[in-house]
Amino acid sequence: MYQQHDTMSDDNPIFDQLKKELLEHFEKIHGMEPFIIAVAPARVNLIGEHIDYCDGFVLPAGINRHVVIAAAPNGTSEANLHSTMLPDQPATVMLDEPQTPGQPKWADYIRGVFDGFCDKGFWPLPGFDAVIHANIPLGAGLSSSAAIEVAAATMVEGLLGIEINPKNKALLCQRAERKFAGVPCGIMDQFASVFAKNDHFVLIDCRSEEAQPIPFTDKSISMVIADTNVHHELSDGAYANRRKQTEIALSIIGKESWREVTMDDLDAVKEEMNEVVYRRARHVITEIDRTQQAAIAVSQGKTGEVGEMMAASHRSLRDDFEVSCKELDAMVEIAWDIGIDGGVLGSRMTGGGFGGSTITLVRTEKVEEVMAEMRSRYQEQTGIKPQIFSTRAVDGARQEER
Ligand code: GLA
């Protein structure tokens, strides 16, 4: 079990342990040391939900949960992929053939990345053996899939001895998710995993596709992530359906981009759209506004002031966008109920929704108490055991020394 409370010191025992295990697995399977170690973090989003595909802003951070990949060239035209999470499902991918989704399914994220390199003219890739290891809770809305893609792209860069422009790398990984995992996602998750920075949030302008680090150095505030253990499948249609509804709304409003739309513009065409589409649009407009305000507050060192914006974001996702669920609502309401006197500065669902995790900002000296209370009250109310941990904001994808 990994340490539950992540302090903001320079030591990172959680990551060191993960890397040590990776090297042990690689040596056990291949009897040698790897040539490359590639690393990519999962992400949590502070605010700006379901607006990355609406030209909005998002404000994620990398979290201290990673995908790590160890690899060595094998002189063939095959990639032999071994996942420590699914050790009985190894994958062999032919690198001199066109990539298509296949079995085992987990390898599709990586096939999608190979396909992206092929699309950029890197074909065929040299053969290699790789072991993939991770400590990210799966299906928890923390973008484990983006972390696999970004770690795989970082590994391929290492094998080829090249570095592609970080923005293009993130877009290549987003393409993999869309084309090979079938989720019509926006750019947030892959950009977060690439551009994450120690003690920073990343303000991503999803229209210009620019990422800007926003310092989050206030050590008196910690991020707590609570995985409800209710897990979603974003490829099951609900995500695509929300996306479609925002497109319908924008076409009725008649503007090029959501960035130009105000509540007055929406209200002017209220009669022309059904009530559901109206609410979806209201979420997009208000969330874009909230995220900009939150980024200003964090950049002025006033992170403690984003609590009300986080609450408004959650209510909007619950009532207008309808991507929350009773377990997410329960977890958030417990945090709200603990409140400022108990050390909670703000709480909301994070990520795609329909299950997954919440993010809560907590006074650092109260973290253990708040986590214990959230854990016991959530379990009491739902009968489900959650996974709750605190995290610092960590660096984005990179190659590591052995
Ligand atoms: C998922 C998608 C992202 C984003 C979020 C919701 O994580 O992959 O692109 O749309 O949902 O904010």
PDB file of all heavy atoms in Angstrom, residues 265-299:
ATOM      1  N   ASP A 265     -26.309  36.146 -24.930  1.00  0.00           N
ATOM      2  CA  ASP A 265     -26.421  35.480 -26.243  1.00  0.00           C
ATOM      3  C   ASP A 265     -27.273  34.217 -26.122  1.00  0.00           C
ATOM      4  O   ASP A 265     -28.100  33.914 -26.986  1.00  0.00           O
ATOM      5  CB  ASP A 265     -25.036  35.068 -26.768  1.00  0.00           C
ATOM      6  CG  ASP A 265     -24.138  36.259 -27.038  1.00  0.00           C
ATOM      7  OD1 ASP A 265     -24.657  37.323 -27.415  1.00  0.00           O
ATOM      8  OD2 ASP A 265     -22.901  36.111 -26.865  1.00  0.00           O
ATOM      9  N   LEU A 266     -27.017  33.471 -25.044  1.00  0.00           N
ATOM     10  CA  LEU A 266     -27.763  32.220 -24.857  1.00  0.00           C
ATOM     11  C   LEU A 266     -29.242  32.518 -24.616  1.00  0.00           C
ATOM     12  O   LEU A 266     -30.122  31.906 -25.239  1.00  0.00           O
ATOM     13  CB  LEU A 266     -27.172  31.437 -23.679  1.00  0.00           C
ATOM     14  CG  LEU A 266     -27.923  30.163 -23.287  1.00  0.00           C
ATOM     15  CD1 LEU A 266     -27.933  29.146 -24.429  1.00  0.00           C
ATOM     16  CD2 LEU A 266     -27.318  29.525 -22.035  1.00  0.00           C
ATOM     17  N   ASP A 267     -29.509  33.461 -23.736  1.00  0.00           N
ATOM     18  CA  ASP A 267     -30.904  33.763 -23.411  1.00  0.00           C
ATOM     19  C   ASP A 267     -31.676  34.301 -24.617  1.00  0.00           C
ATOM     20  O   ASP A 267     -32.877  34.091 -24.724  1.00  0.00           O
ATOM     21  CB  ASP A 267     -30.989  34.718 -22.212  1.00  0.00           C
ATOM     22  CG  ASP A 267     -30.701  33.963 -20.915  1.00  0.00           C
ATOM     23  OD1 ASP A 267     -30.986  32.749 -20.874  1.00  0.00           O
ATOM     24  OD2 ASP A 267     -30.162  34.570 -19.975  1.00  0.00           O
ATOM     25  N   ALA A 268     -30.952  34.924 -25.538  1.00  0.00           N
ATOM     26  CA  ALA A 268     -31.616  35.454 -26.744  1.00  0.00           C
ATOM     27  C   ALA A 268     -32.196  34.329 -27.614  1.00  0.00           C
ATOM     28  O   ALA A 268     -33.127  34.561 -28.379  1.00  0.00           O
ATOM     29  CB  ALA A 268     -30.627  36.297 -27.541  1.00  0.00           C
ATOM     30  N   VAL A 269     -31.638  33.111 -27.486  1.00  0.00           N
ATOM     31  CA  VAL A 269     -32.139  32.003 -28.325  1.00  0.00           C
ATOM     32  C   VAL A 269     -32.768  30.887 -27.480  1.00  0.00           C
ATOM     33  O   VAL A 269     -32.979  29.774 -27.963  1.00  0.00           O
ATOM     34  CB  VAL A 269     -31.011  31.420 -29.223  1.00  0.00           C
ATOM     35  CG1 VAL A 269     -30.578  32.414 -30.277  1.00  0.00           C
ATOM     36  CG2 VAL A 269     -29.820  30.954 -28.398  1.00  0.00           C
ATOM     37  N   LYS A 270     -33.047  31.223 -26.243  1.00  0.00           N
ATOM     38  CA  LYS A 270     -33.575  30.216 -25.303  1.00  0.00           C
ATOM     39  C   LYS A 270     -34.786  29.451 -25.861  1.00  0.00           C
ATOM     40  O   LYS A 270     -34.883  28.229 -25.714  1.00  0.00           O
ATOM     41  CB  LYS A 270     -33.965  30.916 -23.992  1.00  0.00           C
ATOM     42  CG  LYS A 270     -34.279  29.975 -22.870  1.00  0.00           C
ATOM     43  CD  LYS A 270     -34.472  30.696 -21.557  1.00  0.00           C
ATOM     44  CE  LYS A 270     -34.781  29.651 -20.482  1.00  0.00           C
ATOM     45  NZ  LYS A 270     -34.989  30.224 -19.183  1.00  0.00           N
ATOM     46  N   GLU A 271     -35.683  30.173 -26.527  1.00  0.00           N
ATOM     47  CA  GLU A 271     -36.909  29.545 -27.052  1.00  0.00           C
ATOM     48  C   GLU A 271     -36.623  28.572 -28.187  1.00  0.00           C
ATOM     49  O   GLU A 271     -37.441  27.729 -28.520  1.00  0.00           O
ATOM     50  CB  GLU A 271     -37.909  30.614 -27.547  1.00  0.00           C
ATOM     51  CG  GLU A 271     -38.290  31.679 -26.520  1.00  0.00           C
ATOM     52  CD  GLU A 271     -38.769  31.065 -25.203  1.00  0.00           C
ATOM     53  OE1 GLU A 271     -39.496  30.052 -25.266  1.00  0.00           O
ATOM     54  OE2 GLU A 271     -38.382  31.584 -24.137  1.00  0.00           O
ATOM     55  N   GLU A 272     -35.447  28.720 -28.807  1.00  0.00           N
ATOM     56  CA  GLU A 272     -35.138  27.874 -29.982  1.00  0.00           C
ATOM     57  C   GLU A 272     -34.503  26.542 -29.611  1.00  0.00           C
ATOM     58  O   GLU A 272     -34.243  25.714 -30.474  1.00  0.00           O
ATOM     59  CB  GLU A 272     -34.184  28.619 -30.926  1.00  0.00           C
ATOM     60  CG  GLU A 272     -34.814  29.811 -31.603  1.00  0.00           C
ATOM     61  CD  GLU A 272     -33.776  30.682 -32.296  1.00  0.00           C
ATOM     62  OE1 GLU A 272     -32.885  30.120 -32.953  1.00  0.00           O
ATOM     63  OE2 GLU A 272     -33.860  31.915 -32.139  1.00  0.00           O
ATOM     64  N   MET A 273     -34.172  26.361 -28.326  1.00  0.00           N
ATOM     65  CA  MET A 273     -33.533  25.088 -27.956  1.00  0.00           C
ATOM     66  C   MET A 273     -34.301  24.414 -26.835  1.00  0.00           C
ATOM     67  O   MET A 273     -35.034  25.071 -26.091  1.00  0.00           O
ATOM     68  CB  MET A 273     -32.067  25.301 -27.553  1.00  0.00           C
ATOM     69  CG  MET A 273     -31.829  26.295 -26.459  1.00  0.00           C
ATOM     70  SD  MET A 273     -30.061  26.436 -26.040  1.00  0.00           S
ATOM     71  CE  MET A 273     -29.348  27.285 -27.404  1.00  0.00           C
ATOM     72  N   ASN A 274     -34.138  23.084 -26.753  1.00  0.00           N
ATOM     73  CA  ASN A 274     -34.845  22.435 -25.657  1.00  0.00           C
ATOM     74  C   ASN A 274     -34.139  22.723 -24.342  1.00  0.00           C
ATOM     75  O   ASN A 274     -32.990  23.158 -24.306  1.00  0.00           O
ATOM     76  CB  ASN A 274     -35.108  20.944 -25.935  1.00  0.00           C
ATOM     77  CG  ASN A 274     -33.875  20.091 -25.789  1.00  0.00           C
ATOM     78  OD1 ASN A 274     -33.035  20.331 -24.919  1.00  0.00           O
ATOM     79  ND2 ASN A 274     -33.755  19.093 -26.644  1.00  0.00           N
ATOM     80  N   GLU A 275     -34.855  22.445 -23.281  1.00  0.00           N
ATOM     81  CA  GLU A 275     -34.420  22.849 -21.950  1.00  0.00           C
ATOM     82  C   GLU A 275     -33.094  22.191 -21.571  1.00  0.00           C
ATOM     83  O   GLU A 275     -32.231  22.802 -20.922  1.00  0.00           O
ATOM     84  CB  GLU A 275     -35.570  22.479 -20.996  1.00  0.00           C
ATOM     85  CG  GLU A 275     -35.475  22.944 -19.595  1.00  0.00           C
ATOM     86  CD  GLU A 275     -34.877  21.857 -18.720  1.00  0.00           C
ATOM     87  OE1 GLU A 275     -34.923  20.666 -19.098  1.00  0.00           O
ATOM     88  OE2 GLU A 275     -34.344  22.194 -17.667  1.00  0.00           O
ATOM     89  N   VAL A 276     -32.894  20.935 -21.994  1.00  0.00           N
ATOM     90  CA  VAL A 276     -31.655  20.220 -21.645  1.00  0.00           C
ATOM     91  C   VAL A 276     -30.455  20.898 -22.321  1.00  0.00           C
ATOM     92  O   VAL A 276     -29.438  21.182 -21.690  1.00  0.00           O
ATOM     93  CB  VAL A 276     -31.752  18.735 -22.065  1.00  0.00           C
ATOM     94  CG1 VAL A 276     -30.423  18.026 -21.870  1.00  0.00           C
ATOM     95  CG2 VAL A 276     -32.851  18.031 -21.283  1.00  0.00           C
ATOM     96  N   VAL A 277     -30.599  21.178 -23.609  1.00  0.00           N
ATOM     97  CA  VAL A 277     -29.503  21.819 -24.348  1.00  0.00           C
ATOM     98  C   VAL A 277     -29.200  23.198 -23.748  1.00  0.00           C
ATOM     99  O   VAL A 277     -28.038  23.596 -23.628  1.00  0.00           O
ATOM    100  CB  VAL A 277     -29.840  21.901 -25.860  1.00  0.00           C
ATOM    101  CG1 VAL A 277     -28.829  22.753 -26.607  1.00  0.00           C
ATOM    102  CG2 VAL A 277     -29.901  20.500 -26.458  1.00  0.00           C
ATOM    103  N   TYR A 278     -30.238  23.902 -23.304  1.00  0.00           N
ATOM    104  CA  TYR A 278     -30.042  25.207 -22.661  1.00  0.00           C
ATOM    105  C   TYR A 278     -29.171  25.055 -21.411  1.00  0.00           C
ATOM    106  O   TYR A 278     -28.227  25.813 -21.196  1.00  0.00           O
ATOM    107  CB  TYR A 278     -31.401  25.826 -22.292  1.00  0.00           C
ATOM    108  CG  TYR A 278     -31.266  27.108 -21.510  1.00  0.00           C
ATOM    109  CD1 TYR A 278     -31.037  28.318 -22.158  1.00  0.00           C
ATOM    110  CD2 TYR A 278     -31.334  27.104 -20.113  1.00  0.00           C
ATOM    111  CE1 TYR A 278     -30.877  29.495 -21.434  1.00  0.00           C
ATOM    112  CE2 TYR A 278     -31.178  28.277 -19.384  1.00  0.00           C
ATOM    113  CZ  TYR A 278     -30.941  29.468 -20.054  1.00  0.00           C
ATOM    114  OH  TYR A 278     -30.783  30.631 -19.336  1.00  0.00           O
ATOM    115  N   ARG A 279     -29.488  24.040 -20.600  1.00  0.00           N
ATOM    116  CA  ARG A 279     -28.708  23.853 -19.364  1.00  0.00           C
ATOM    117  C   ARG A 279     -27.259  23.463 -19.666  1.00  0.00           C
ATOM    118  O   ARG A 279     -26.333  23.896 -18.996  1.00  0.00           O
ATOM    119  CB  ARG A 279     -29.376  22.812 -18.467  1.00  0.00           C
ATOM    120  CG  ARG A 279     -30.586  23.385 -17.746  1.00  0.00           C
ATOM    121  CD  ARG A 279     -31.112  22.452 -16.681  1.00  0.00           C
ATOM    122  NE  ARG A 279     -31.856  21.323 -17.237  1.00  0.00           N
ATOM    123  CZ  ARG A 279     -31.488  20.052 -17.143  1.00  0.00           C
ATOM    124  NH1 ARG A 279     -30.377  19.719 -16.524  1.00  0.00           N
ATOM    125  NH2 ARG A 279     -32.229  19.104 -17.677  1.00  0.00           N
ATOM    126  N   ARG A 280     -27.074  22.622 -20.688  1.00  0.00           N
ATOM    127  CA  ARG A 280     -25.692  22.249 -21.063  1.00  0.00           C
ATOM    128  C   ARG A 280     -24.899  23.518 -21.432  1.00  0.00           C
ATOM    129  O   ARG A 280     -23.755  23.698 -21.040  1.00  0.00           O
ATOM    130  CB  ARG A 280     -25.679  21.290 -22.258  1.00  0.00           C
ATOM    131  CG  ARG A 280     -26.478  20.009 -22.079  1.00  0.00           C
ATOM    132  CD  ARG A 280     -25.942  19.120 -20.972  1.00  0.00           C
ATOM    133  NE  ARG A 280     -26.605  17.834 -21.003  1.00  0.00           N
ATOM    134  CZ  ARG A 280     -27.463  17.393 -20.080  1.00  0.00           C
ATOM    135  NH1 ARG A 280     -27.748  18.118 -19.016  1.00  0.00           N
ATOM    136  NH2 ARG A 280     -28.028  16.200 -20.201  1.00  0.00           N
ATOM    137  N   ALA A 281     -25.550  24.391 -22.193  1.00  0.00           N
ATOM    138  CA  ALA A 281     -24.883  25.627 -22.632  1.00  0.00           C
ATOM    139  C   ALA A 281     -24.585  26.533 -21.451  1.00  0.00           C
ATOM    140  O   ALA A 281     -23.514  27.137 -21.360  1.00  0.00           O
ATOM    141  CB  ALA A 281     -25.773  26.355 -23.642  1.00  0.00           C
ATOM    142  N   ARG A 282     -25.537  26.586 -20.510  1.00  0.00           N
ATOM    143  CA  ARG A 282     -25.309  27.447 -19.336  1.00  0.00           C
ATOM    144  C   ARG A 282     -24.094  26.963 -18.552  1.00  0.00           C
ATOM    145  O   ARG A 282     -23.303  27.753 -18.056  1.00  0.00           O
ATOM    146  CB  ARG A 282     -26.567  27.453 -18.451  1.00  0.00           C
ATOM    147  CG  ARG A 282     -26.441  28.342 -17.235  1.00  0.00           C
ATOM    148  CD  ARG A 282     -27.789  28.618 -16.611  1.00  0.00           C
ATOM    149  NE  ARG A 282     -28.428  27.379 -16.141  1.00  0.00           N
ATOM    150  CZ  ARG A 282     -29.692  27.309 -15.713  1.00  0.00           C
ATOM    151  NH1 ARG A 282     -30.457  28.392 -15.714  1.00  0.00           N
ATOM    152  NH2 ARG A 282     -30.201  26.156 -15.303  1.00  0.00           N
ATOM    153  N   HIS A 283     -23.953  25.642 -18.453  1.00  0.00           N
ATOM    154  CA  HIS A 283     -22.753  25.121 -17.772  1.00  0.00           C
ATOM    155  C   HIS A 283     -21.485  25.609 -18.474  1.00  0.00           C
ATOM    156  O   HIS A 283     -20.549  26.086 -17.825  1.00  0.00           O
ATOM    157  CB  HIS A 283     -22.735  23.586 -17.712  1.00  0.00           C
ATOM    158  CG  HIS A 283     -21.394  23.065 -17.285  1.00  0.00           C
ATOM    159  ND1 HIS A 283     -20.935  23.158 -15.988  1.00  0.00           N
ATOM    160  CD2 HIS A 283     -20.356  22.531 -17.998  1.00  0.00           C
ATOM    161  CE1 HIS A 283     -19.698  22.690 -15.914  1.00  0.00           C
ATOM    162  NE2 HIS A 283     -19.317  22.295 -17.117  1.00  0.00           N
ATOM    163  N   VAL A 284     -21.454  25.480 -19.794  1.00  0.00           N
ATOM    164  CA  VAL A 284     -20.225  25.833 -20.524  1.00  0.00           C
ATOM    165  C   VAL A 284     -19.876  27.305 -20.295  1.00  0.00           C
ATOM    166  O   VAL A 284     -18.731  27.639 -19.963  1.00  0.00           O
ATOM    167  CB  VAL A 284     -20.388  25.534 -22.042  1.00  0.00           C
ATOM    168  CG1 VAL A 284     -19.177  26.050 -22.817  1.00  0.00           C
ATOM    169  CG2 VAL A 284     -20.577  24.035 -22.276  1.00  0.00           C
ATOM    170  N   ILE A 285     -20.860  28.177 -20.428  1.00  0.00           N
ATOM    171  CA  ILE A 285     -20.587  29.620 -20.310  1.00  0.00           C
ATOM    172  C   ILE A 285     -20.121  29.967 -18.890  1.00  0.00           C
ATOM    173  O   ILE A 285     -19.121  30.660 -18.702  1.00  0.00           O
ATOM    174  CB  ILE A 285     -21.856  30.436 -20.676  1.00  0.00           C
ATOM    175  CG1 ILE A 285     -22.225  30.189 -22.133  1.00  0.00           C
ATOM    176  CG2 ILE A 285     -21.634  31.927 -20.426  1.00  0.00           C
ATOM    177  CD1 ILE A 285     -23.646  30.635 -22.501  1.00  0.00           C
ATOM    178  N   THR A 286     -20.830  29.440 -17.894  1.00  0.00           N
ATOM    179  CA  THR A 286     -20.473  29.807 -16.516  1.00  0.00           C
ATOM    180  C   THR A 286     -19.151  29.155 -16.097  1.00  0.00           C
ATOM    181  O   THR A 286     -18.367  29.757 -15.366  1.00  0.00           O
ATOM    182  CB  THR A 286     -21.593  29.430 -15.521  1.00  0.00           C
ATOM    183  OG1 THR A 286     -21.872  28.023 -15.632  1.00  0.00           O
ATOM    184  CG2 THR A 286     -22.867  30.214 -15.804  1.00  0.00           C
ATOM    185  N   GLU A 287     -18.876  27.955 -16.589  1.00  0.00           N
ATOM    186  CA  GLU A 287     -17.639  27.261 -16.180  1.00  0.00           C
ATOM    187  C   GLU A 287     -16.406  27.933 -16.798  1.00  0.00           C
ATOM    188  O   GLU A 287     -15.361  28.017 -16.160  1.00  0.00           O
ATOM    189  CB  GLU A 287     -17.722  25.770 -16.573  1.00  0.00           C
ATOM    190  CG  GLU A 287     -16.565  24.899 -16.081  1.00  0.00           C
ATOM    191  CD  GLU A 287     -16.663  24.485 -14.600  1.00  0.00           C
ATOM    192  OE1 GLU A 287     -17.555  24.970 -13.881  1.00  0.00           O
ATOM    193  OE2 GLU A 287     -15.811  23.679 -14.178  1.00  0.00           O
ATOM    194  N   ILE A 288     -16.547  28.413 -18.018  1.00  0.00           N
ATOM    195  CA  ILE A 288     -15.414  29.136 -18.631  1.00  0.00           C
ATOM    196  C   ILE A 288     -15.089  30.364 -17.770  1.00  0.00           C
ATOM    197  O   ILE A 288     -13.934  30.639 -17.447  1.00  0.00           O
ATOM    198  CB  ILE A 288     -15.724  29.535 -20.098  1.00  0.00           C
ATOM    199  CG1 ILE A 288     -15.755  28.286 -20.997  1.00  0.00           C
ATOM    200  CG2 ILE A 288     -14.681  30.542 -20.631  1.00  0.00           C
ATOM    201  CD1 ILE A 288     -16.091  28.544 -22.463  1.00  0.00           C
ATOM    202  N   ASP A 289     -16.128  31.053 -17.353  1.00  0.00           N
ATOM    203  CA  ASP A 289     -15.951  32.241 -16.522  1.00  0.00           C
ATOM    204  C   ASP A 289     -15.316  31.894 -15.173  1.00  0.00           C
ATOM    205  O   ASP A 289     -14.333  32.505 -14.742  1.00  0.00           O
ATOM    206  CB  ASP A 289     -17.349  32.864 -16.341  1.00  0.00           C
ATOM    207  CG  ASP A 289     -17.256  34.211 -15.688  1.00  0.00           C
ATOM    208  OD1 ASP A 289     -16.386  34.986 -16.113  1.00  0.00           O
ATOM    209  OD2 ASP A 289     -18.040  34.470 -14.747  1.00  0.00           O
ATOM    210  N   ARG A 290     -15.847  30.874 -14.515  1.00  0.00           N
ATOM    211  CA  ARG A 290     -15.316  30.474 -13.199  1.00  0.00           C
ATOM    212  C   ARG A 290     -13.842  30.081 -13.282  1.00  0.00           C
ATOM    213  O   ARG A 290     -13.052  30.388 -12.400  1.00  0.00           O
ATOM    214  CB  ARG A 290     -16.092  29.255 -12.667  1.00  0.00           C
ATOM    215  CG  ARG A 290     -17.401  29.559 -12.002  1.00  0.00           C
ATOM    216  CD  ARG A 290     -17.991  28.300 -11.373  1.00  0.00           C
ATOM    217  NE  ARG A 290     -18.468  27.332 -12.356  1.00  0.00           N
ATOM    218  CZ  ARG A 290     -19.704  27.321 -12.861  1.00  0.00           C
ATOM    219  NH1 ARG A 290     -20.589  28.210 -12.476  1.00  0.00           N
ATOM    220  NH2 ARG A 290     -20.060  26.412 -13.752  1.00  0.00           N
ATOM    221  N   THR A 291     -13.485  29.386 -14.353  1.00  0.00           N
ATOM    222  CA  THR A 291     -12.110  28.884 -14.452  1.00  0.00           C
ATOM    223  C   THR A 291     -11.132  30.046 -14.615  1.00  0.00           C
ATOM    224  O   THR A 291     -10.047  30.042 -14.022  1.00  0.00           O
ATOM    225  CB  THR A 291     -12.010  27.883 -15.623  1.00  0.00           C
ATOM    226  OG1 THR A 291     -13.005  26.893 -15.428  1.00  0.00           O
ATOM    227  CG2 THR A 291     -10.643  27.222 -15.670  1.00  0.00           C
ATOM    228  N   GLN A 292     -11.532  31.039 -15.389  1.00  0.00           N
ATOM    229  CA  GLN A 292     -10.657  32.220 -15.523  1.00  0.00           C
ATOM    230  C   GLN A 292     -10.499  32.923 -14.177  1.00  0.00           C
ATOM    231  O   GLN A 292      -9.393  33.306 -13.801  1.00  0.00           O
ATOM    232  CB  GLN A 292     -11.243  33.186 -16.559  1.00  0.00           C
ATOM    233  CG  GLN A 292     -11.045  32.679 -17.981  1.00  0.00           C
ATOM    234  CD  GLN A 292     -11.782  33.545 -18.981  1.00  0.00           C
ATOM    235  OE1 GLN A 292     -13.009  33.519 -19.067  1.00  0.00           O
ATOM    236  NE2 GLN A 292     -11.041  34.336 -19.723  1.00  0.00           N
ATOM    237  N   GLN A 293     -11.602  33.057 -13.461  1.00  0.00           N
ATOM    238  CA  GLN A 293     -11.529  33.703 -12.134  1.00  0.00           C
ATOM    239  C   GLN A 293     -10.653  32.897 -11.180  1.00  0.00           C
ATOM    240  O   GLN A 293      -9.874  33.455 -10.412  1.00  0.00           O
ATOM    241  CB  GLN A 293     -12.921  33.803 -11.529  1.00  0.00           C
ATOM    242  CG  GLN A 293     -13.789  34.854 -12.149  1.00  0.00           C
ATOM    243  CD  GLN A 293     -15.149  34.875 -11.445  1.00  0.00           C
ATOM    244  OE1 GLN A 293     -15.243  34.695 -10.234  1.00  0.00           O
ATOM    245  NE2 GLN A 293     -16.200  35.067 -12.213  1.00  0.00           N
ATOM    246  N   ALA A 294     -10.795  31.577 -11.228  1.00  0.00           N
ATOM    247  CA  ALA A 294     -10.014  30.724 -10.321  1.00  0.00           C
ATOM    248  C   ALA A 294      -8.520  30.841 -10.645  1.00  0.00           C
ATOM    249  O   ALA A 294      -7.684  30.897  -9.744  1.00  0.00           O
ATOM    250  CB  ALA A 294     -10.471  29.269 -10.435  1.00  0.00           C
ATOM    251  N   ALA A 295      -8.194  30.889 -11.942  1.00  0.00           N
ATOM    252  CA  ALA A 295      -6.776  30.993 -12.331  1.00  0.00           C
ATOM    253  C   ALA A 295      -6.192  32.300 -11.808  1.00  0.00           C
ATOM    254  O   ALA A 295      -5.045  32.331 -11.342  1.00  0.00           O
ATOM    255  CB  ALA A 295      -6.644  30.911 -13.852  1.00  0.00           C
ATOM    256  N   ILE A 296      -6.987  33.365 -11.850  1.00  0.00           N
ATOM    257  CA  ILE A 296      -6.493  34.653 -11.334  1.00  0.00           C
ATOM    258  C   ILE A 296      -6.263  34.533  -9.819  1.00  0.00           C
ATOM    259  O   ILE A 296      -5.207  34.907  -9.310  1.00  0.00           O
ATOM    260  CB  ILE A 296      -7.493  35.792 -11.651  1.00  0.00           C
ATOM    261  CG1 ILE A 296      -7.527  36.032 -13.166  1.00  0.00           C
ATOM    262  CG2 ILE A 296      -7.121  37.077 -10.909  1.00  0.00           C
ATOM    263  CD1 ILE A 296      -8.641  36.943 -13.642  1.00  0.00           C
ATOM    264  N   ALA A 297      -7.239  33.949  -9.120  1.00  0.00           N
ATOM    265  CA  ALA A 297      -7.094  33.816  -7.653  1.00  0.00           C
ATOM    266  C   ALA A 297      -5.846  33.004  -7.310  1.00  0.00           C
ATOM    267  O   ALA A 297      -5.044  33.413  -6.466  1.00  0.00           O
ATOM    268  CB  ALA A 297      -8.341  33.164  -7.065  1.00  0.00           C
ATOM    269  N   VAL A 298      -5.649  31.859  -7.991  1.00  0.00           N
ATOM    270  CA  VAL A 298      -4.479  31.024  -7.669  1.00  0.00           C
ATOM    271  C   VAL A 298      -3.202  31.791  -7.998  1.00  0.00           C
ATOM    272  O   VAL A 298      -2.249  31.792  -7.216  1.00  0.00           O
ATOM    273  CB  VAL A 298      -4.522  29.672  -8.433  1.00  0.00           C
ATOM    274  CG1 VAL A 298      -3.246  28.873  -8.169  1.00  0.00           C
ATOM    275  CG2 VAL A 298      -5.739  28.845  -8.035  1.00  0.00           C
ATOM    276  N   SER A 299      -3.186  32.491  -9.129  1.00  0.00           N
ATOM    277  CA  SER A 299      -1.950  33.186  -9.520  1.00  0.00           C
ATOM    278  C   SER A 299      -1.635  34.342  -8.573  1.00  0.00           C
ATOM    279  O   SER A 299      -0.496  34.757  -8.456  1.00  0.00           O
ATOM    280  CB  SER A 299      -2.022  33.670 -10.973  1.00  0.00           C
ATOM    281  OG  SER A 299      -2.997  34.669 -11.060  1.00  0.00           O
TER     282      SER A 299
END
